[in-house]
Amino acid sequence: MKVILVYDINEKRVTKVLKTCRKYLNWVQNSVFEGEISEAKLVKLKMELKKIIHEDEDSVIIYTFRSAWYTNRETIGVKKGVQELII
Amino acid sequence: MKRSIYIFSDGELKRKDKTLCFETKEGKKYIPVENTHEILIFGEVTINKRLLEFLTESEIILHFFNYYGYYVGSFYPREHLNSGYMILKQAEHYLDHKKRLNLAENFVSGAIENIKRVLIYYANRGKPLNETIDKINSIALSIKDCESTEELMAVEGNIRDEYYQAFDIILDSEHFVFEARTKRPPKNRLNALISFANSLVYTTVLSEIYHTHLDPRIGYLHTTNFRRFTLNLDVAEIFKPIIADRVIFNLVNKSIIKPNHFEKKLDGIVLNDKGKQLLIQHMDERLRSTIQHKRIGRHVSYRQLIRLELYKIQKHLIGEEEYRPFQSGW
Amino acid sequence: MHPTGTLIWYYYICPREVWLMSRHLTPWQENPFIEIGRLISKESYQRDRKEIRLENIVIDLLKTEGENVVIGEVKKSSRFEKSARMQLAFYLWKLNHLGIEATGKLLFPREKKKITVMLTKEIEDELEEAQQKIISIVQMETPPPARRIKFCSKCGYQEFCWS
């Protein structure tokens, strides 16, 4: 499935969250990740994030789409990270 | 679904912060380790042992290609799936002449069947291919009489000759003519495309074999020489027409790939980076496209279809179900 | 050949899996249910986590509650409770033979549910029979034919069986 993840995390923990997200998804721009991942991997990612964040202070929002077909991505301004097949 | 990553830039691929990182002069790019199943390397890439250990742990295969786009070899991490039973079965079917011939015959007839599907597809779209199809049918009759894998290879070779001649009818392009099959180096553009696309099918099948209990070193049609991978070559025969060739036809017929995507090198012609990337993009898309699978009851991608083919081979080796190669539905 | 706890578990779901596992033809590891299951048993109950190996059995959790030894087995869902119960009973029976009296707890962390398992004469007889059947399945030349059951849609062998 297609996933878009955004977060708002206390400075103390933000690097840890960033590093964790990088293992599963592609960095898009500050605090935003996206990618196509399996259901199981998403569960795994959520488990890892839960262990890092303080639920009373930090927040992570995950949008999921069953298929990338129904999403459209438009950039205004500087083009930042995209899911690249060829690097 | 995990993704394939293709590296064309020069740089260093390394382990960083528990994931993969590709560092070039322009900066760092992180590759999500949990979501990658193979990496194909075309650029000048530096790696170290720490990375190889990490890839082994993460079960990610590396495939290397040289400057001209020729396949050089793979880093096939210590096999994570191991079944002594399956390896013995594989060997048993190799050592027994009849059993080996039966499998080899299946790979050849599977290849021919899918070659015919491709031809029929274009015949239905008005291309005059009936003569080729008839010729192939009549050559295919001799498969039954083959008593060795060499003879089978020869029959397949004859069929491929006919088939490749038909490329000129399917493509009808002044820039892409077949002439004769030439390899290492390919002598013209179309041959360069065929060689590169085929090598991508070989590595794709190898990556899928890695996720089964089969040993890629024991092939049946292609003689096992105890040195390199051969089972992937066998299975690739079945998929080359419907994956590689169909992509080539699309790219040429829609003029996506053009003469300026090639360059003269050595004594022949090879794809330049832009050309290779175009082919890769479309092959990757093709492998991720899905078709309905009746018995499984849902859509499966062409990549999964390759794995299913390997499962069918396993079931044949176990002795529970005669192997029948996949036939394209269209 | 000594049946393992895992084979007992599989036996009550699908005999074909018993045969395949006995040849180390492991299921597709990226199957989402297998992956999630692996995660749950790895992440849950870490405090009591002491993987214990005895002969050919592996026990997920072990703790003492007063005088009692309690062994636990972590499962993803209670859908296959029978399988899970028999697997744990098998461990109790094995321990019993080593002179250890224990009780079993089946743990379903996702459902916040626990089931206590005790060894009875009836269960012992059933285990005895299951082990005999497992041995005869394993001795078969080819696997028991694939049969479509509810579990198929979640099984790591699904693609193998129906390819």
Side-chain angles (χ1 to χ4, degrees), chain C residues 77-92:
Chain C
S77 96
S78 55
R79 259 188 71 188
F80 301 96
E81 201 189 301
K82 170 84 179 174
S83 284
R85 214 152 10 101
M86 294 312 284
Q87 182 182 4
L88 195 53
F90 173 73
Y91 293 149
L92 294 175

Side-chain angles (χ1 to χ4, degrees), chain B residues 299-320:
Chain B
H299 279 79
V300 299
S301 67
Y302 275 92
R303 188 182 280 279
Q304 275 174 293
L305 214 51
I306 294 173
R307 189 154 43 79
L308 294 178
E309 202 65 8
L310 299 168
Y311 289 154
K312 281 155 62 185
I313 294 166
Q314 286 190 334
K315 286 194 278 191
H316 176 95
L317 296 170
I318 288 173
E320 81 157 327

Side-chain angles (χ1 to χ4, degrees), chain B residues 23 63 105 108 133 142 186 202 209 229 247 266 282-283 311 317 326 328:
Chain B
E23 193 169 351
H63 299 298
E105 210 182 286
V108 172
I133 296 169
S142 54
Y202 299 142
I209 291 176
F229 303 130
V247 167
L266 306 167
H282 286 82
M283 284 278 281
Y311 289 154
L317 296 170
F326 170 76
S328 176

Side-chain angles (χ1 to χ4, degrees), chain C residues 51-101:
Chain C
E51 202 184 78
I52 311 292
R53 284 167 186 276
L54 279 172
E55 292 181 15
N56 61 345
I57 65 172
V58 185
I59 293 166
D60 275 355
L61 301 166
L62 187 131
K63 61 176 176 182
T64 43
E65 281 175 2
E67 299 257 299
N68 300 324
V69 178
V70 179
I71 60 168
E73 173 76 19
V74 184
K75 291 287 177 206
K76 188 175 47 185
S77 96
S78 55
R79 259 188 71 188
F80 301 96
E81 201 189 301
K82 170 84 179 174
S83 284
R85 214 152 10 101
M86 294 312 284
Q87 182 182 4
L88 195 53
F90 173 73
Y91 293 149
L92 294 175
W93 180 76
K94 275 270 177 187
L95 287 174
N96 206 305
H97 279 247
L98 295 167
I100 303 166
E101 291 282 348

Side-chain angles (χ1 to χ4, degrees), chain A residues 1 19-27 35-38 41 44 48 82-87, chain B residues 1-9 17-19 22 29-35 277 281 284:
Chain A
M1 67 180 97
K19 285 179 183 174
T20 303
C21 291
R22 271 185 195 141
K23 284 157 61 183
Y24 296 86
L25 299 165
N26 297 285
W27 181 82
E36 287 254 12
I37 68 171
S38 70
K41 292 288 180 206
K44 206 170 162 192
E48 282 196 46
V82 276
Q83 174 150 11
E84 280 167 323
L85 183 71
I86 296 166
I87 55 178
Chain B
M1 280 300 113
K2 290 188 179 182
R3 302 293 302 260
S4 309
I5 301 288
Y6 306 83
I7 300 182
F8 274 82
S9 320
D17 300 333
K18 291 183 184 165
T19 192
F22 184 62
K29 276 213 171 73
Y30 288 89
I31 302 169
V33 65
E34 297 273 355
N35 210 21
Q277 290 173 10
Q281 247 170 26
D284 193 85

